[in-house]
Amino acid sequence: MKVYIGPYKNWVGPYQIAEALCFWAKPVKDEHNFESKPDWVHNFGTWLSHGTTDEEITDSKNAPKTWLLKLCQWIESKRSRRTYIKIDRYDTWSMDHTLSMIVLPMLKQLQASKHGAPNVDDDDVPEELKSTSAPPKEDEWDTDGNHFKRWDWVMDEMIFAFEHHVDTKWEEAYSKGEWSTRSEACKWDENGKAKLFKMVYNDDHTHETDYEGLKVVHERIANGFKLFGRYYRNLWD
């Protein structure tokens, strides 16, 4: 497999050009303490786009377009995100494992860089993370106190599932001891020749497997994959 996916395209239009030309203009803070260029820089971009700063004209559906705006839109129509994807035959031999090796680091990066959280259904999280378990909200439109915790939990479960799917030896931690077996005849034909054998443990056989522990992990992995499918369209930053 060979994959190259370039960065998203950045729109460059009259407003961006105005900011670049006025690079020397110092940012000012608004009422929310966010910094941005002064209003006159924005008005300059409006004039570059429409040839006027009259809001009745620029806000209308049929606002005029300057040659600069038309040129920027034409250039944008010719640009595309660079992608190159080549799939080899062996990539689909264990496609689930191949994809897991790609998805896992992406999930970890998203978890580290995310700036928000989507709505997560109460049915998908433990009782203590449900919206009904959160402290009362001050305003009806506010998110509840567990809103971001639910998404953190869902991401942890998805990462847990893919980590275990990538690690093909994780089940070994649930076994201990050594195998020691032998074959014994258990069925014979009419001539007295053995035709069926069974496996018998020797006295020094000490191997044990924690099947209950394995079941718990397998169920958690299955739930992590279910959550991945359920919230696939919410994997954004």
Side-chain angles (χ1 to χ4, degrees):
M1 175 185 294
K2 293 182 180 179
V3 177
Y4 173 80
I5 301 177
Y8 288 100
K9 298 184 299 178
N10 291 322
W11 161 252
V12 177
Y15 289 96
Q16 289 72 27
I17 294 173
E19 288 194 2
L21 291 174
C22 302
F23 64 91
W24 45 268
K26 294 182 178 180
V28 294
K29 293 184 178 180
D30 60 16
E31 64 274 16
H32 302 294
N33 210 36
F34 290 112
E35 290 188 345
S36 61
K37 292 289 186 179
D39 289 341
W40 64 265
V41 177
H42 178 81
N43 292 336
F44 180 36
T46 301
W47 181 80
L48 290 176
S49 295
H50 307 292
T52 179
T53 57
D54 188 333
E55 292 185 359
E56 289 188 9
I57 297 176
T58 59
D59 291 344
S60 66
K61 184 181 297 184
N62 298 316
K65 296 182 179 180
T66 63
W67 67 268
L68 179 60
L69 177 57
K70 292 178 180 178
L71 176 62
C72 291
Q73 290 177 335
W74 179 82
I75 293 174
E76 179 66 15
S77 69
K78 302 301 180 181
R79 299 172 65 210
S80 60
R81 190 181 184 190
R82 291 182 61 193
T83 61
Y84 173 77
I85 301 174
K86 178 182 179 297
I87 305 299
D88 295 297
R89 282 183 172 272
Y90 54 80
D91 290 322
T92 51
W93 176 259
S94 294
M95 181 174 166
D96 56 331
H97 188 265
T98 301
L99 291 177
S100 294
M101 291 189 290
I102 300 171
V103 172
L104 179 58
M106 294 187 72
L107 285 175
K108 289 183 175 181
Q109 178 173 302
L110 176 61
Q111 185 184 49
S113 64
K114 66 185 186 306
H115 294 91
N119 290 322
V120 174
D121 291 343
D122 279 353
D123 291 342
D124 292 327
V125 297
E127 187 65 33
E128 66 271 14
L129 295 179
K130 297 181 186 296
S131 60
T132 52
S133 299
K137 296 187 291 186
E138 293 185 7
D139 296 301
E140 182 60 31
W141 56 82
D142 289 339
T143 56
D144 65 85
N146 287 335
H147 176 83
F148 295 100
K149 294 178 182 178
R150 283 194 292 277
W151 184 233
D152 287 338
W153 185 87
V154 167
M155 291 217 67
D156 285 340
E157 294 306 293
M158 290 190 289
I159 289 173
F160 179 89
F162 281 98
E163 280 181 334
H164 282 70
H165 204 58
V166 168
D167 181 8
T168 58
K169 296 183 178 181
W170 71 266
E171 292 181 326
E172 294 178 3
Y174 291 82
S175 298
K176 61 181 181 180
E178 300 294 333
W179 284 89
S180 179
T181 62
R182 66 181 185 277
S183 295
E184 287 188 357
C186 59
K187 193 171 183 180
W188 296 263
D189 60 19
E190 63 276 7
N191 298 318
K193 184 179 180 180
K195 66 176 185 179
L196 188 64
F197 295 82
K198 64 180 180 179
M199 185 181 71
V200 178
Y201 294 130
N202 295 322
D203 292 338
D204 60 346
H205 177 81
T206 59
H207 187 271
E208 294 179 357
T209 298
D210 179 10
Y211 291 106
E212 288 300 317
L214 281 173
K215 180 181 177 182
V216 170
V217 177
H218 276 293
E219 289 177 350
R220 186 178 174 186
I221 292 172
N223 186 59
F225 287 141
K226 184 187 76 172
L227 293 170
F228 181 76
R230 184 172 176 81
Y231 294 101
Y232 182 80
R233 297 182 68 182
N234 297 115
L235 297 174
W236 42 258
D237 183 16

